[in-house]
């Protein structure tokens, strides 16, 4: 590792937006620690993709809501690459149902990963990210769109939008930025699963670009916030092609 190489931890890095972000950061020259919940094959593929681009990467299985697992994740980053400069917390789960029909076990699962996980990862990041670093959490444009059946998911991501600017202020004086990225409809399994082609087309028509986003669109925003975007801090960046 070169003396000036930065190291990023990317949770949810075995698929979707997390994987695209990990691959993009590797292309940008960062060593990448890919954290994943259970998709062993996807994690291996993500590491291989990062390495094909000339990057250095390792995969670590970790439950983001488990403080011991997250501590071990950061330990691995420090042991393998010397420290942590960027944390991209992309891990998340979604359960959809009208509020009157929502199974409270699903609510608890969403809360555990999306809210508790953000606290656990953010707490460790606040303790360990080096000066000049960046913490990037993930929200969703659904917090603005008020789509039926998304109440549990949107509520959990609204919590992320509350946590991020507070942490930014708590890190005053350390030259560490904290932001949230809020994608709109994006071509990942999290969004596409269970939706008809007609429904996906309706979502695509909602923004003036007339398409749904790609994981690479969102990874580009992550790359900016993880690198040159030093004057963007405490913000939620809506990456959604212009949907209201």
């Amino acid at each position: 590792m070169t003396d000036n190489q930065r190291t990023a931890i990317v949770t949810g890095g075995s698929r979707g937006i997390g994987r695209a972000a990990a691959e993009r950061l590797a292309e940008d020259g960062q060593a990448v620690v890919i954290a994943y919940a259970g998709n062993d094959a996807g994690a291996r593929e993500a590491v291989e993709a990062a390495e094909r681009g000339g990057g250095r990467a390792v995969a670590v299985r970790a439950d983001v809501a488990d403080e011991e697992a997250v501590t071990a994740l950061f330990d691995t980053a420090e042991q393998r690459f010397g420290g942590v400069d960027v944390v991209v917390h992309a891990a998340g789960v979604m359960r959809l149902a009208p509020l009157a029909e929502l199974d409270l076990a699903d609510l608890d699962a969403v809360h555990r990963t999306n809210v508790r996980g953000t606290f656990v990862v953010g707490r460790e990041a606040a303790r360990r990210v080096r000066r000049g670093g960046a913490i990037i959490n993930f929200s969703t444009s659904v917090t603005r769109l008020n789509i039926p059946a998304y109440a549990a998911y949107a509520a959990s991501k609204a919590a992320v939008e509350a946590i991020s600017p507070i942490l930014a202020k708590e890190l005053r004086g350390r030259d560490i930025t904290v932001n949230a990225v809020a994608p709109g409809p994006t071509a990942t399994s999290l969004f596409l699963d269970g939706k008809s082609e007609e429904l996906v087309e309706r979502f695509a028509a909602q923004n003036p670009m007339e398409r749904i986003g790609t994981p690479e669109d969102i990874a580009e925003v992550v790359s900016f916030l993880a690198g040159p975007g030093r004057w963007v801090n405490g913000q939620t960046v809506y990456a959604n092609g212009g949907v209201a």
Side-chain angles (χ1 to χ4, degrees), residues 22-37:
E23 292 179 11
R24 175 59 186 266
L25 293 178
E27 290 176 8
D28 292 344
Q30 299 205 33
V32 180
V33 180
I34 296 169
Y36 69 103

Side-chain angles (χ1 to χ4, degrees), residues 204-228:
Q206 290 177 347
N207 72 74
M209 308 297 282
E210 296 188 330
R211 66 175 177 86
I212 63 173
T214 68
E216 291 73 23
D217 290 327
I218 312 305
E220 186 173 26
V221 179
V222 171
S223 174
F224 173 72
L225 294 174

Side-chain angles (χ1 to χ4, degrees), residues 185-202:
T186 305
T188 66
S189 59
L190 186 69
F191 171 73
L192 294 174
D193 285 355
K195 293 183 175 68
S196 67
E197 183 176 345
E198 179 184 7
L199 181 57
V200 172
E201 289 175 355
R202 287 211 303 269

Side-chain angles (χ1 to χ4, degrees), residues 39-54:
N39 183 7
D40 294 325
R44 286 194 300 271
E45 291 169 2
V47 168
E48 290 167 0
E51 291 177 340
R52 281 196 301 272

Side-chain angles (χ1 to χ4, degrees), residues 63-192:
D63 175 357
V64 296
D66 182 327
E67 59 184 317
E68 292 183 0
V70 170
T71 297
L73 170 65
F74 278 76
D75 287 344
T76 298
E78 292 180 345
Q79 292 161 6
R80 291 292 297 270
F81 301 122
V84 180
D85 301 285
V86 173
V87 174
V88 180
H89 181 43
V93 299
M94 182 165 60
R95 303 285 189 273
L96 302 182
L99 190 64
E101 302 170 15
L102 182 66
D103 187 323
L104 292 182
D106 286 338
L107 175 64
D108 291 342
V110 169
H111 185 278
R112 184 180 187 279
T113 296
N114 296 0
V115 181
R116 178 185 167 92
T118 300
F119 270 99
V120 173
V121 172
R123 185 177 68 170
E124 204 64 29
R127 294 170 175 173
R128 303 221 210 177
V129 169
R130 295 185 287 203
R131 188 173 186 85
I135 301 169
I136 302 163
N137 292 319
F138 266 81
S139 180
T140 173
S141 291
V142 175
T143 57
R144 287 183 170 181
L145 300 177
N146 304 319
I147 302 172
Y150 279 79
Y153 182 66
S156 72
K157 292 303 188 176
V160 174
E161 293 190 20
I163 294 164
S164 300
I166 292 173
L167 181 56
K169 291 186 176 182
E170 291 175 349
L171 296 180
R172 173 183 292 274
R174 290 179 54 188
D175 190 25
I176 296 170
T177 62
V178 186
N179 293 288
V181 177
T186 305
T188 66
S189 59
L190 186 69
F191 171 73
L192 294 174

